[in-house]
Amino acid sequence: MSAFDSLSPSLGEFLRAKRADITPEMAGLPPGRRRRTPGLRREEVASRASMGSAWYTALEQGRDVQPSDRALACLARALMMNETEREHLYALAGRPAPPRAIDGESTVNPILQRLLDRLEPEPAYVMDAYWEVVAWNDAAAALFSIERPGDKHPRNKLCWIFTQKRVETHQADWLKSARTLVSIFRSQATRYADDPRMRQLIDDLLEASDTFRELWAEQGVLELGSGRKAMRMPDGTDREFDYLPLRIPDLPGACLMIYLGVE
């Protein structure tokens, strides 16, 4: 067998390995006396996943069975999978995994804050799935006026853009940039369409800004990526920045935004 063959993905092998890792005690089941397997039996996994034992057996044995998203979610819970294992399960089944749950606290790792500080004098901040800025350095605070006491969403990037009277001073082509941001936000917000906080944010923006409402109705969709933009500095001068978003595994839906000045 070649190294490539040994890496060929197998949904059944992965399910068997996970089943063997879970003891009856871990699953809240009696240990039993005559077990021939160190982990759960197939019928026990099937019962925990609310599916037929024969159907689950066929899935483990690699027969022509196509699990639905709901079946995969039930299996992930039944086999006590963590987020990485759940995503691997969906990948083996040829389906995109649902997004990881948003961290409601958006707690930033101290190492990340140290990185932000070391990026000075280049502006950098961390934005969570709701586009709330949850960590930043001094350069970003000066450029974007991050702290806005009294606002309903005092550190939300979209609220900076659409509810502040002086935002136009920050970008040379404000409407083009605003349209791009709304399209990026739509593609991200759709992944969390069932999240009450996300729905409330959208409702608040629709109510607060005619421009947001018009751009939202355009149904534009874009992926967040790198690029270059002109910014108006606090001293009134214009400067170009290359910007780069970096995903943060510890914060689902969040990213680190770095702005590098163009000389």
Side-chain angles (χ1 to χ4, degrees):
M1 179 184 292
S2 70
F4 178 81
D5 290 336
S6 67
L7 291 175
S8 298
S10 169
L11 177 59
E13 289 175 356
F14 182 58
L15 291 173
R16 287 195 296 274
K18 286 301 301 175
R19 177 165 62 84
D21 282 343
I22 302 175
T23 65
E25 291 82 1
M26 291 169 61
L29 299 172
R33 293 183 178 181
R34 306 179 68 177
R35 283 185 174 271
R36 292 179 294 177
T37 175
L40 297 180
R41 299 187 179 101
R42 284 173 176 162
E43 58 268 24
E44 290 170 336
V45 174
S47 176
R48 285 169 56 83
S50 301
M51 59 183 58
S53 179
W55 189 91
Y56 174 76
T57 298
L59 187 64
E60 251 199 27
Q61 293 177 344
R63 290 186 241 161
D64 189 17
V65 176
Q66 300 298 322
S68 65
D69 286 347
R70 181 178 180 279
L72 292 172
C74 290
L75 284 172
R77 288 193 296 271
L79 292 168
M80 306 171 69
M81 294 184 185
N82 60 34
E83 292 284 0
T84 301
E85 291 168 335
R86 180 180 67 100
E87 290 169 355
H88 186 64
L89 173 70
Y90 277 77
L92 291 178
R95 292 178 176 274
R100 296 192 181 198
I102 301 175
D103 179 2
E105 299 298 325
S106 296
T107 304
V108 175
N109 190 311
I111 298 174
L112 189 54
Q113 184 61 59
R114 285 169 54 198
L115 173 61
L116 290 171
D117 294 337
R118 291 188 181 185
L119 285 169
E120 295 278 6
E122 305 290 5
Y125 59 84
V126 176
M127 183 174 71
D128 70 10
Y130 305 105
W131 288 43
E132 294 284 334
V133 177
V134 294
W136 59 90
N137 61 14
D138 291 341
L143 180 59
F144 296 109
S145 301
I146 289 174
E147 294 283 13
R148 300 176 187 270
D151 288 0
K152 188 171 185 178
H153 302 280
R155 294 201 303 266
N156 188 280
K157 183 171 181 177
L158 290 167
C159 290
W160 300 349
I161 300 299
F162 292 103
T163 66
Q164 300 297 320
K165 295 180 180 179
R166 53 185 291 272
V167 297
E168 289 84 351
T169 65
H170 278 151
Q171 293 163 343
D173 190 345
W174 182 86
L175 185 59
K176 179 180 178 181
S177 179
R179 176 174 283 108
T180 297
L181 288 176
V182 171
S183 297
I184 294 170
F185 176 63
R186 176 183 287 279
S187 68
Q188 295 182 340
T190 300
R191 300 167 192 165
Y192 302 103
D194 295 330
D195 185 281
R197 183 177 169 187
M198 185 67 75
R199 294 200 301 269
Q200 185 61 57
L201 173 61
I202 295 170
D203 289 343
D204 290 345
L205 287 163
L206 290 170
E207 181 179 357
S209 170
D210 292 339
T211 304
F212 179 85
R213 189 160 54 250
E214 292 169 4
L215 296 177
W216 187 255
E218 292 179 2
Q219 301 291 320
V221 177
L222 290 173
E223 188 63 39
L224 179 63
S226 59
R228 178 173 291 187
K229 66 170 61 175
M231 304 286 286
R232 183 66 53 83
M233 304 301 292
D235 62 5
T237 62
D238 290 331
R239 186 182 181 191
E240 284 193 322
F241 287 90
D242 288 325
Y243 59 89
L244 176 68
L246 300 174
R247 297 296 181 187
I248 305 173
D250 292 346
L251 290 175
C255 69
L256 166 63
M257 292 294 303
I258 301 174
Y259 292 80
L260 301 176
V262 178
E263 302 299 334

